[in-house]
Amino acid sequence: MDYPTAERTQTTVPFKFAVRVGAHLVRLSIFWRLALGSLAIIVVMAGVTLYALIQIRQLTALSTELVSYHYPAIETAKRLTTNLYTQLRSEKKYLAVRDAVFLRDFDEEAEEFQRALTALQNQETSPDGQRLLKDTALLHKEYRGVFLGVADRRTGLFPKQAAEYERRRDALITRIMDTLESYIGLHEARVSTGVNDSRPRATQAEA
């Protein structure tokens, strides 16, 4: 006797995206799935854009600092170095011929040196930079005083006195130059550090 056989049917249940709200599982329609996917993309893009803007802002601040602070400080210190050599030439000419023109030139150059140095001190923000500029001012004041003390003499110096004066003067000039070079090196090191730090930031901002 033949018995009827029951055919097995396999029903495919389509996958439906769902989220859990509290204790209930809520199925989402295609519209909401697309909306959530778009929202996720927007959030990611907003995060990337915000990160790039932060990097650009930091690069802008660094560029501003280099242009308005470090580079002018370096250039002013170099001008002070040139000015000091000019003072030295005027001093030697005066001591050689005792012409008041050279003494006046020295005074004008020394005043210009002091004005530029004071302006540099007013804009310097680092303790190390302030210390170097203060040392420069004190050394230059001493150098100027030593020279004027000799310039006020009605007679020239004896050979031994001249040798002692030149030794002291040269030592002061050397110390002033070394101090200014240290100040220039301080800012050049910061420029180098800033440029090196800006490279990865620029790369990240472009990515």
Side-chain angles (χ1 to χ4, degrees):
M1 181 177 178
D2 295 332
Y3 295 95
T5 58
E7 293 183 0
R8 295 182 179 179
T9 59
Q10 184 176 1
T11 303
T12 302
V13 179
F15 174 77
K16 293 185 178 181
F17 191 79
V19 296
R20 182 173 296 279
V21 179
H24 303 284
L25 194 64
V26 180
R27 292 176 180 175
L28 299 178
S29 65
I30 295 176
F31 169 78
W32 284 109
R33 278 183 275 171
L34 291 174
L36 288 175
S38 299
L39 180 61
I41 293 174
I42 292 172
V43 170
V44 172
M45 292 302 297
V48 171
T49 302
L50 179 61
Y51 179 77
L53 289 175
I54 292 173
Q55 295 300 318
I56 292 173
R57 183 176 180 181
Q58 292 175 340
L59 287 173
T60 302
L62 177 60
S63 298
T64 301
E65 183 180 10
L66 292 177
V67 172
S68 64
Y69 176 49
H70 293 300
Y71 289 144
I74 292 171
E75 289 304 315
T76 301
K78 289 180 178 179
R79 286 199 302 272
L80 288 174
T81 300
T82 301
N83 178 284
L84 188 62
Y85 279 124
T86 304
Q87 292 177 58
L88 184 59
R89 285 196 297 269
S90 295
E91 174 220 323
K92 289 182 178 180
K93 290 177 181 178
Y94 176 77
L95 293 179
V97 298
R98 294 282 174 168
D99 190 331
V101 173
F102 299 125
L103 180 60
R104 184 176 65 250
D105 289 344
F106 176 88
D107 285 335
E108 291 175 354
E109 292 149 4
E111 288 295 331
E112 181 182 348
F113 184 95
Q114 287 295 334
R115 286 193 298 270
L117 182 57
T118 299
L120 196 56
Q121 286 177 301
N122 290 336
Q123 76 173 31
E124 180 58 46
T125 59
S126 71
D128 288 340
Q130 283 288 351
R131 176 181 55 79
L132 290 170
L133 294 178
K134 182 179 179 181
D135 291 345
T136 300
L138 293 174
L139 289 168
H140 182 260
K141 182 179 179 180
E142 183 178 355
Y143 162 60
R144 190 177 182 183
V146 169
F147 167 64
L148 292 179
V150 172
D152 288 340
R153 292 171 59 101
R154 294 185 177 181
T155 59
L157 298 175
F158 292 109
K160 185 176 181 180
Q161 292 173 321
E164 176 61 24
Y165 165 77
E166 291 176 1
R167 183 195 62 78
R168 185 178 179 187
R169 176 203 63 196
D170 291 346
L172 287 170
I173 292 293
T174 299
R175 290 178 63 188
I176 295 172
M177 290 297 185
D178 289 346
T179 306
L180 287 173
E181 286 297 324
S182 296
Y183 180 78
I184 293 171
L186 177 69
H187 280 274
E188 287 180 340
R190 290 176 180 174
V191 168
S192 179
T193 300
V195 170
N196 290 336
D197 289 345
S198 68
R199 289 173 182 169
R201 290 178 183 175
T203 302
Q204 292 168 358
E206 293 173 356

